[in-house]
Amino acid sequence: MDRRQVLAYRIAEHGLHRTARDAAELAVVRAGLQDSMRDTALLALVARLEGTVSLEDDDRLVLAWTLRGAPHYHLRSDLPEVISALVPLDDADAQARMLWQRKEMAATGLAAREVVFTTAAAIRKVVTEPMTKGAVSGAVTKVLPPSFSRWCRGCNATHIQEQLMRIATPHGGVRLVAGATPATLAPLEGRGRLRKTPDPAAATAVIERYLALNGPATAGEAAEYAGTARAVVDRTWPPDLASVKVEGKTRFLPADRLPALENPPEPDVVRLLPPLDPFIQARDKALLVPDPARRKEVWKMLGNPGVLLADGDIAGTWRTKGSGAKLTFTVTAFDPLRPAVREEAEAEAARVAEARGFEKHAVTWVG
């Protein structure tokens, strides 16, 4: 099977044909919709839904630090299972979830699970009403061992390790307040007791959703998405998977999605996908964008652009700059585009501008 067929399948699974009626029907929302950059989640929905899109006014959705410690919107009904899936199976799992701060976790000298749940208990005790992230961090730092914290030059203060706070907060029964600036935390409605018992079935469900959305994929790619080690994913690997050769490499997806993969609809859509859109959250970047130079344009160390999806492929990048009531788009095409594609892309730009509250927009093409 070649990459074009895989991308056609993913375009359909991601809801980019705009067949869903609202956010709750989208598989990307069931999997968790990341919102780490301005309007990322909003614009991901704009690319998938007709009409006016709202996130902050949708009571069915809740924002929390979940996968990889990143902020994600989830359906409220799904969040308990998501949090259960994040309970570390063991100390190695807890250590892996600290990602770039693993050394800091190890430096505490304590078992990694103990560090996570001690922090979660402290956050649960502190956050009984909406509080800014800084206020929570300051209060929690005072009651935790000094090894859980660090001196932050930017804040000119000592506070809890950033990733530790993020992975512990959902276990403490605490969410993020959508749209709040600065970042604000609040207790989850009806939060139960702090749960320390791992739930392998819930962890398996997270991996299965990833494989359905961004499959066929490997266990290593799924582990990177979940924010843990490959060995952990091997222990929670879903049953009933189909193996598929894609560009000569064995990959997997749920067996019940195999017919959809074998016969996907024509990917005849043009969309402006925001940075960190679920479609470009797939970990097989070389499959998404085979050309190394173009990959560097899509995924940067800082300040990723959005991507132009056209003719079943990632066809370019886009950025915006706002000035007063006007939002200006700069769209850089990788290859010459048909006039019809440009026309549709400009219509998508109008949708993006309107969703972000701009009265006017303009599109500048490069390439």
Side-chain angles (χ1 to χ4, degrees), residues 14 23-24 26-37 39-49 53-55 58 61-68 70-75 78 82 176 213 225 274-279 281:
H14 277 254
L26 289 168
V28 293
V29 175
R30 297 297 309 277
L33 190 59
Q34 188 168 341
D35 197 40
S36 295
M37 297 177 68
D39 294 329
T40 291
L42 173 66
L43 298 186
L45 292 183
V46 167
R48 290 164 171 82
L49 298 173
V53 175
S54 175
L55 276 168
D58 193 334
L61 300 176
V62 60
L63 184 65
W65 281 319
T66 55
L67 299 167
R68 306 176 303 283
H72 285 75
Y73 279 98
H74 296 273
L75 292 176
D78 287 343
V82 173
L176 293 163
L213 265 179
Y225 171 81
L276 300 176
D277 185 90
F279 187 80
Q281 283 280 5

Side-chain angles (χ1 to χ4, degrees), residues 274-321:
L276 300 176
D277 185 90
F279 187 80
I280 51 178
Q281 283 280 5
R283 271 28 195 186
D284 50 359
K285 296 177 181 178
L287 187 75
L288 284 175
V289 182
D291 183 86
R294 292 178 176 179
R295 279 202 300 277
K296 290 181 180 179
E297 293 302 312
V298 173
W299 293 281
K300 294 181 173 292
M301 290 294 293
L302 293 172
N304 285 345
V307 301
L308 169 64
L309 184 68
D311 293 329
D313 215 337
I314 292 177
T317 62
W318 62 276
R319 295 184 181 276
T320 59
K321 184 176 182 180

